[in-house]
Amino acid sequence: MPATVLTARALLLDMDGTLVNSDAVVERIWRRWAERHGLDGDEVMKVVHGRQGHASMAVLLPDRPVRQNLADNARMLAEETADLDGVIEVPGAAAFLASLHGLPHALVTSADVALSTARMAAAGLPLPEVRVTAESVGASKPDPEGFLKGAAELGIAPADCVVFEDSGAGVAAGKAAGMRVVGVGPRAGVHGPDVVVPDLTHVRVEAAADGEIRLHVGAQEV
């Protein structure tokens, strides 16, 4: 089956589930949290991907004060930053990032600086020069703020950006920002991205002379 070709002038990349497979640690930490609060672990895991921790807590414990969620989130971020067991690259992520050298792109993650730095290093991946982290925004995905900030920092119109995301919250944020979305991995497909791939071995980047980026999405690993 031929690849879908998307054109863009900048790419905005989520981290967890998109570049880095951190599912093992996310499962460990959030299932422990669910147990502490008497919640069903499977139901909790349906909510937490893509959002900042305190935003997930607000969905799961709607009556709990915001201040308490923020304090709990800070503790969990520290736990996650210290627990890197099983953190690996999503297949094809290193080659994909290498192919973006010199092209406009940014990391847009719900993780904070410490966690994103630790996880990218654990997966053996370079950090993009432009990064939008939890500290950079006032609202978590599915709010589009992070992606709009990424586009603004790169100086590219939202309509000329393509987002790479794995979660429902992330896909919704990209769409709300007026961007096209490539879904990565098994979680993404059910949330209506423009196109979906199993991993980044199915994406090829071609730089055009006019500054346009052509994405061949769905191309098989060679």
Side-chain angles (χ1 to χ4, degrees):
M1 192 172 180
T4 298
V5 179
L6 300 176
T7 58
R9 294 201 170 270
L11 306 184
L12 302 176
L13 316 172
D14 174 51
M15 182 182 72
D16 290 302
T18 301
L19 298 172
V20 173
N21 182 343
S22 55
D23 282 1
V25 60
V26 171
E27 288 266 348
R28 281 195 296 274
I29 284 175
W30 277 101
R31 285 186 182 278
R32 282 202 300 266
W33 183 89
E35 196 174 341
R36 286 198 299 270
H37 294 280
L39 298 173
D40 180 87
D42 291 340
E43 293 304 312
V44 166
M45 294 314 301
K46 290 176 185 175
V47 171
V48 300
H49 292 290
R51 291 179 171 85
Q52 291 185 36
H54 64 85
S56 296
M57 293 171 193
V59 172
L60 293 161
L61 297 173
D63 298 325
R64 198 163 77 149
V66 171
R67 185 175 66 253
Q68 202 173 336
N69 289 340
L70 290 171
D72 207 0
N73 182 52
R75 284 191 295 272
M76 287 185 70
L77 280 170
E79 273 186 71
E80 289 185 274
T81 304
D83 184 353
L84 299 171
D85 188 28
V87 174
I88 56 173
E89 71 163 311
V90 166
F96 175 67
L97 287 170
S99 73
L100 297 182
H101 182 70
L103 299 176
H105 66 287
L107 187 72
V108 181
T109 176
S110 295
D112 63 4
V113 169
L115 181 57
S116 57
T117 302
R119 281 192 178 157
M120 290 289 280
L125 299 174
L127 278 165
E129 205 171 297
V130 176
R131 300 183 288 278
V132 179
T133 61
E135 295 94 336
S136 312
V137 297
S140 169
K141 298 171 186 176
D143 191 281
E145 183 185 358
F147 287 125
L148 292 172
K149 282 202 166 180
E153 284 201 37
L154 293 169
I156 305 294
D160 290 327
C161 296
V162 169
V163 164
F164 283 73
E165 265 287 358
D166 74 299
S167 70
V171 172
K175 291 285 192 182
M179 301 172 182
R180 289 152 296 153
V181 181
V182 175
V184 180
R187 278 191 296 269
V190 297
H191 298 293
D194 293 277
V195 62
V196 64
V197 290
D199 57 46
L200 293 170
T201 66
H202 296 260
V203 180
R204 183 169 62 83
V205 177
E206 179 189 358
D210 62 357
E212 192 173 74
I213 301 167
R214 291 195 187 94
L215 296 169
H216 300 262
V217 183
Q220 297 298 311
E221 184 178 18
V222 180

